[in-house]
């Protein structure tokens, strides 16, 4: 099947040809140290959603990068709000992406990690109940788990009355989950920014004016302004722009697409 919206590199090095998945994976990469990568989609005018959902902003090219980023991570971090609202299903990858992970010495699927202060989570939601890898729920000591939650997930408590996100990420790293991809939502993004935990933002800009109404991709308390340099610009033929901002100049090491497992 032809790619409905081929993606090319625009900056810093333009690509002569559209990028295949291996080239996309090499551009985004994994790092040699614990790393938190955010992935969001927005409209030209900065909306977080259309009609309440991110799907209205996303298209074929964004979905492709979304899947490549899932392929690259150890843990997929998501807020309880987005998990519930977007009706997250079990995190699964297609055959070639599972094969890529096996080839690189990774488990076939990343681990789903949910951040929730209230533990108002449904253990029957497919994201938890059907998960191919036992998920982790990050909460605090004062939260009460609903019946059945500990049957389907590890409930890990970080902080006395609110989730200590710095300790939470350390817990993930202690479990070998170093490459963390966060898919939102805005309140979690705000809290991670305030705690200065964000190493990278992958931002898709959809060629849409959503108009007034929707919020931004970040919400919550104000925090200090943080500088994040631009590292990569990709453009899809459907007019979608994919930007990568990161503290480090390049992800290290690049995933090996030639055949030698890297870990
Ligand atoms: N454009 C995009 O790329 C994108 C991505 C994701 C989501 N969205 C959109 O964002 C909207 C959902 O946003 P939202 O306001 O619900 O924000 P959210 O950040 O998705 O969820 C907020 C909830 O997540 C948990 N949470 C977040 N940060 C926490 C922290 N620091 N400590 C403890 N718990 C924390 C809490 O859940 P509990 O109530 O369980 O305690 C909180 O009530 C939806 O419209 C969705 O479509 C857009």
């Amino acid at each position: 099947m032809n790619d409905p919206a081929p993606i090319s590199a625009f900056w810093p090095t333009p690509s002569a040809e559209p990028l295949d998945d291996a080239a996309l994976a090499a551009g985004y990469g994994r790092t040699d140290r614990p790393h938190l990568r955010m992935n969001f989609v927005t409209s030209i005018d900065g909306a977080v959603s259309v009609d309440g959902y991110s799907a209205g902003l996303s298209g074929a090219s964004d979905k492709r990068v979304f899947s490549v980023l899932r392929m690259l991570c150890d843990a997929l971090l998501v807020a309880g709000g987005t998990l519930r609202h977007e009706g997250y299903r079990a995190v699964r990858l297609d055959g070639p992406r599972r094969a890529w992970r096996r080839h690189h010495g990774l488990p076939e699927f990343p681990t789903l990690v949910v951040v929730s202060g209230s533990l108002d989570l449904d253990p029957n939601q497919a994201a938890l109940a059907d998960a191919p890898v036992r998920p982790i729920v990050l909460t605090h000591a004062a939260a009460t788990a609903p019946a059945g939650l500990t049957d389907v997930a590890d409930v890990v408590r970080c902080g006395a009355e609110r989730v200590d996100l710095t300790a939470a990420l350390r817990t993930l790293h202690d479990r070998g989950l170093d490459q963390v991809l966060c898919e939102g939502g805005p309140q979690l993004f705000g809290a991670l920014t305030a705690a200065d935990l964000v190493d990278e933002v992958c931002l898709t800009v959809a060629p849409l004016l959503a108009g007034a109404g929707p919020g931004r991709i970040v919400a919550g308390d104000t925090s200090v302004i943080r500088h994040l340099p631009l590292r990569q610009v990709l453009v899809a033929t459907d007019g979608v722009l994919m930007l990568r901002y990161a503290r480090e100049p390049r992800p290290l090491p690049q995933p090996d697409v030639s055949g030698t497992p890297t870990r």
Side-chain angles (χ1 to χ4, degrees):
M1 195 175 75
N2 287 336
D3 183 353
I7 300 171
S8 299
F10 179 73
W11 185 88
T13 310
S15 56
E17 300 289 332
L19 304 177
D20 59 17
D21 275 12
L24 277 178
Y28 284 100
R30 288 169 55 90
T31 67
D32 61 355
R33 70 208 73 167
H35 189 83
L36 176 62
R37 164 181 280 163
M38 311 297 298
N39 184 28
F40 274 85
V41 60
T42 187
S43 61
I44 303 166
D45 50 357
V48 69
S49 60
V50 170
D51 295 330
Y53 294 92
S54 58
L57 296 164
S58 186
S61 48
D62 175 59
K63 288 194 176 89
R64 188 169 152 219
V65 168
F66 182 90
S67 297
V68 168
L69 296 183
R70 283 187 167 192
M71 178 183 84
L72 289 167
C73 73
D74 297 322
L76 179 58
L77 184 69
V78 65
T82 288
L83 182 95
R84 289 186 294 264
H85 184 80
E86 297 264 345
Y88 262 54
R89 298 198 203 153
V91 176
R92 298 196 184 276
L93 302 174
D94 63 18
R97 293 191 170 114
R98 292 202 307 278
W100 186 97
R101 288 179 65 88
R102 281 196 304 274
H103 179 69
H104 288 82
L106 303 174
E108 280 203 329
F109 302 98
T111 302
L112 177 71
V113 181
V114 183
V115 180
S116 173
S118 69
L119 287 185
D120 177 18
L121 302 173
D122 177 2
N124 295 314
Q125 182 171 345
L128 300 172
D130 295 342
V133 177
R134 187 170 166 85
I136 298 170
V137 175
L138 297 171
T139 190
H140 53 76
T144 305
L149 186 62
T150 54
D151 294 341
V152 295
D154 286 358
V155 176
V156 177
R157 297 172 189 276
C158 303
E161 293 185 340
R162 49 188 303 188
V163 183
D164 177 338
L165 292 170
T166 304
L169 280 181
R170 208 179 306 123
T171 299
L172 297 184
H173 303 329
D174 289 347
R175 291 175 172 231
L177 304 174
D178 280 345
Q179 307 292 302
V180 180
L181 171 67
C182 180
E183 294 182 346
Q187 290 186 44
L188 182 56
F189 191 8
L192 290 166
T193 301
D196 197 17
L197 293 169
V198 176
D199 296 307
E200 177 175 338
V201 177
C202 298
L203 182 67
T204 296
V205 181
L208 294 173
L209 287 172
R216 290 175 51 204
I217 59 172
V218 70
D221 296 337
T222 54
S223 65
V224 297
I225 291 171
R226 308 203 186 272
H227 186 65
L228 209 53
L230 180 65
R231 303 296 181 187
Q232 175 179 276
V233 178
L234 307 180
V235 187
T237 54
D238 54 4
V240 172
L241 204 53
M242 277 150 288
L243 310 168
R244 189 172 77 79
Y245 298 86
R247 298 198 221 240
E248 296 294 325
R250 288 195 64 77
L252 292 171
Q254 293 292 298
D256 178 7
V257 294
S258 66
T260 310
T262 54
R263 55 175 281 190

